[in-house]
Amino acid sequence: MTEKAFAIGLYSYTTPAPGADGLKALHDLVTSIFHRIGIAPTYFAAEGLGYKGELTKIGGRVYTKALKSGFSDIHVMSLVANPEGSAEPGYDSFASASLSYVEEIGETLFCLAIEERFLEFRGDIFERILMSCIGLRHWNFGYALSEFIEKKPEFHVLGLDGGKLTAEDRKRLNKWYASLPEVRFQKIRDVYPVNVLNDTQLNAQVSASQTLEDIIRADSFSSLRRVGDRQLWLWEVQLGGLDDLRNMLATGNVLIT
């Protein structure tokens, strides 16, 4: 049986850069998540003043420097877990996490990807981990998806083309890549098994008489609930309902792709 992996993507365009405190919180959270499912980070990468962005071994000079500095002067950070003896940390990781800030568009992006042999997608532990990721900072929206490992679902979150995309997927990716932050805040990228929505997205008009919330609440494959005390909603869709919802919303001017 072909193995699968899931990826969680969370986005913010309305908060300051994560800074050293935000990066330390990410490091501590991801380390605890990995530990919880019985794995350990093996490589670390950072971009910023004095960092080249290359994956280097946990415990090495770069990682030690980041720890001692409290993750200061960094705007992108990644942790990955690889098989023992791995010589290709960028390609054979079975779990990864990253937090990045792009100043030009004010985007903070968090991505967590884990092979499902370590953690069941949409199980109880997955949901607790998702909630802890949402609690990392104030997010505007997000989603989670599951794909076959070779498609690397984290590439979808990070907006990368790994060479496995269909022509239609590539077209959708280009539309997403070209969309402005204010559009992303109001519309949704796609319909995923797990969707994290803000109030503006939820109230988007699909037709003259229906909002996205109306359609979700009327859909037998969907469930919707508020996430804690945050201005976010968790919309979950059973796999059997994804295609029909996508087709319904494709003509409603609420999908970016």
Side-chain angles (χ1 to χ4, degrees):
M1 184 177 69
T2 305
E3 296 287 347
K4 301 186 80 172
F6 70 80
I8 296 170
L10 296 169
Y11 301 74
S12 177
Y13 297 93
T14 58
T15 55
D21 289 344
L23 291 163
K24 183 180 186 305
L26 166 82
H27 171 272
D28 293 348
L29 174 61
V30 171
T31 301
S32 69
I33 290 171
F34 283 10
H35 177 74
R36 181 173 189 171
I37 61 175
I39 61 178
T42 52
Y43 282 85
F44 168 85
E47 294 180 30
L49 186 62
Y51 297 90
K52 298 180 179 180
E54 299 171 351
L55 285 166
T56 60
K57 288 186 176 181
I58 292 288
R61 180 184 61 81
V62 174
Y63 182 66
T64 302
K65 173 186 174 182
L67 284 178
K68 286 184 175 179
S69 72
F71 302 98
S72 61
D73 300 320
I74 296 173
H75 60 267
V76 179
M77 188 173 77
S78 302
L79 290 162
V80 301
N82 304 84
E84 187 175 352
S86 167
E88 298 287 345
Y91 297 94
D92 63 6
S93 64
F94 48 75
S96 64
S98 64
L99 185 67
S100 62
Y101 180 73
V102 180
E103 185 175 5
E104 290 77 12
I105 57 174
E107 178 187 81
T108 302
L109 170 56
F110 170 78
C111 178
L112 173 69
I114 300 174
E115 289 186 10
E116 291 175 39
R117 60 191 170 109
F118 296 101
L119 179 62
E120 178 189 2
F121 181 52
R122 301 181 70 173
D124 290 341
I125 296 176
F126 168 85
E127 180 163 321
R128 288 196 288 271
I129 286 174
L130 173 62
M131 291 302 131
S132 66
C133 294
I134 291 174
L136 194 62
R137 61 187 294 105
H138 178 78
W139 305 105
N140 295 139
F141 60 86
Y143 52 81
L145 70 156
S146 173
E147 293 278 9
F148 292 118
I149 287 172
E150 58 268 22
K151 287 194 72 173
K152 288 191 171 289
E154 64 269 30
F155 280 14
H156 181 82
V157 175
L158 300 172
L160 302 175
D161 183 351
K164 303 285 186 180
L165 298 180
T166 65
E168 181 62 27
D169 285 342
R170 189 170 291 110
K171 178 181 176 182
R172 291 178 176 182
L173 176 62
N174 289 336
K175 284 186 177 180
W176 170 256
Y177 188 79
S179 60
L180 297 173
E182 53 265 35
V183 176
R184 296 183 180 189
F185 189 83
Q186 297 175 31
K187 298 184 179 184
I188 59 175
R189 181 175 181 179
D190 201 351
V191 180
Y192 299 95
V194 178
N195 308 267
V196 180
L197 307 178
N198 60 51
D199 287 332
T200 301
Q201 292 169 326
L202 195 62
N203 292 322
Q205 289 291 145
V206 179
S207 67
S209 61
Q210 285 185 308
T211 65
L212 179 57
E213 181 177 1
D214 294 331
I215 287 176
I216 293 171
R217 293 196 182 279
D219 179 56
S220 61
F221 290 92
S222 295
S223 65
L224 182 69
R225 60 187 170 89
R226 189 173 283 281
V227 179
D229 60 352
R230 297 174 178 272
Q231 297 301 304
L232 293 172
W233 296 82
L234 182 64
W235 170 29
E236 296 185 89
V237 184
Q238 297 173 37
L239 294 181
L242 287 171
D243 289 341
D244 286 346
L245 280 165
R246 285 188 182 115
N247 292 335
M248 183 187 305
L249 296 175
T251 58
N253 197 33
V254 297
L255 293 182
I256 293 177
T257 53

